Amino acid sequence: MSLSPDHDPRQGTQECYNDLEGNKRLVGKFLKRVPAFRSLSDKRINQLINDFTIHTFHAGETVFYQTDNSTDLYIILEGGVKVTLLSEEGEEFVLADLHQGDFFGEMSLIDGKPRSASVIADEDSTFAVLERKRFLEAIKHDPEIAIDLLKSLVERLRNATEREESLAFLAVQQRLVRLFMKLAKDEGMKTAEGSYVVKKRTHKEIAERVGASRESISKVMKRLISNKRIIEDGDRFLISRDLFEDLDVQG
């Protein structure tokens, strides 16, 4: 059985998670959310659980770097990560924010090539990790895993295409509104007035996610706050529904 505390020196200061039975329950719970395993029977899921190892990372630690040769699949049991690219000038561009139940690492898992992006823990996080060798063995036993994973890759490719379109054709304010629409959908709590409550981000964090300078974001945010499209409330943003109507009018 490989579902046990494990330590990989390559992965920095990661710590091991000790509650094996608790880990089993978490892996089983979230494994059905991963498209590649969604069609498997409960019996087969329970067999696969033992192929996973558990790793934890502190907030700010890098899970793996772009161009690393690791090929494992990761499922987020607790916490969250950001998937990033780093330019030669040191500027960071955030491709995606992933949370509990999400997975990453599937590209290198499939083709065995180096990582195409870096992944950094946004908060203290725990992952279930499946080695590529184990994954390939699972495909031989359950070929439908490969079909379901391809569907997931196509969906992520479509999302990437939409993002490229946004960077190419939309103004900074439109990109910013689209980001807030996604945040509202992914994590927002709707109020009785129809506004959405999301976690507050710094202007730097927002800039990294829309492909704009921090100065540009600060100007747009100042205008949106002045027009009460966005309200700063402690560690939260209140997003007015009028903000999304503005995008419809512009687009």
Side-chain angles (χ1 to χ4, degrees):
M1 291 173 57
S2 59
L3 185 66
S4 58
D6 188 30
H7 182 76
D8 181 351
R10 176 182 57 80
Q11 294 179 328
T13 61
Q14 68 171 316
E15 295 178 350
C16 299
Y17 207 68
N18 295 316
D19 182 3
L20 296 183
E21 289 305 314
N23 287 337
K24 278 192 175 185
R25 289 192 294 271
L26 280 175
V27 175
K29 176 182 178 181
F30 293 122
L31 202 54
K32 293 289 282 186
R33 295 190 188 182
V34 178
F37 307 107
R38 194 171 291 160
S39 62
L40 299 184
S41 67
D42 290 341
K43 179 180 179 180
R44 185 66 181 123
I45 288 290
N46 288 332
Q47 291 171 342
L48 279 174
I49 285 174
N50 294 319
D51 288 336
F52 283 83
T53 55
I54 306 299
H55 302 285
T56 66
F57 287 79
H58 292 302
E61 288 189 322
T62 300
V63 181
F64 55 71
Y65 290 95
Q66 184 178 355
T67 73
D68 272 3
N69 288 318
S70 64
T71 56
D72 302 334
L73 176 72
Y74 291 74
I75 301 174
I76 304 174
L77 302 181
E78 295 177 352
V81 303
K82 59 180 179 180
V83 183
T84 72
L85 295 176
L86 196 65
S87 72
E88 293 182 357
E89 294 75 28
E91 296 179 345
E92 187 177 58
F93 180 62
V94 178
L95 298 171
D97 294 289
L98 302 176
H99 308 284
Q100 188 181 57
D102 289 332
F103 66 96
F104 58 92
E106 71 279 6
M107 291 179 65
S108 294
L109 179 80
I110 291 173
D111 64 14
K113 294 182 179 180
R115 299 296 187 183
S116 59
S118 298
V119 175
I120 301 168
D122 256 346
E123 53 189 300
D124 291 350
S125 302
T126 303
F127 309 104
V129 184
L130 181 67
E131 293 181 355
R132 183 169 187 262
K133 176 183 177 181
R134 298 282 189 177
F135 177 75
L136 295 178
E137 290 172 354
I139 286 181
K140 292 178 182 177
H141 191 280
D142 300 289
E144 66 269 25
I145 290 176
I147 297 173
D148 290 336
L149 186 57
L150 284 174
K151 292 178 181 177
S152 174
L153 285 172
V154 169
E155 181 180 353
R156 290 191 170 183
L157 180 59
R158 290 184 188 278
N159 291 337
T161 301
E162 289 179 4
R163 189 155 193 171
E164 290 174 2
E165 178 186 27
S166 172
L167 291 173
F169 300 114
L170 297 185
V172 172
Q173 178 162 329
Q174 291 174 303
R175 282 184 256 161
L176 184 57
V177 173
R178 282 198 173 185
L179 173 64
F180 278 118
M181 288 178 68
K182 186 176 187 306
L183 292 176
K185 177 182 177 182
D186 291 347
E187 65 180 67
M189 293 186 354
K190 195 171 185 179
T191 67
E193 295 77 23
S195 298
Y196 288 89
V197 180
V198 301
K199 176 185 173 183
K200 188 175 182 179
R201 270 78 172 176
T202 67
H203 291 183
K204 179 178 182 293
E205 289 173 330
I206 294 171
E208 290 170 351
R209 285 158 176 79
V210 300
S213 68
R214 183 168 54 181
E215 292 75 15
S216 298
I217 293 299
S218 295
K219 290 178 182 178
V220 174
M221 286 293 294
K222 183 177 180 180
R223 183 163 60 245
L224 293 176
I225 291 171
S226 175
N227 293 336
K228 299 191 182 302
R229 296 300 192 259
I230 295 175
I231 298 173
E232 295 179 299
D233 180 26
D235 61 353
R236 309 180 303 170
F237 281 136
L238 296 179
I239 308 172
S240 169
R241 60 184 177 186
D242 294 335
L243 180 66
F244 307 141
E245 293 174 0
D246 291 345
L247 184 62
D248 291 337
V249 171
Q250 296 169 14

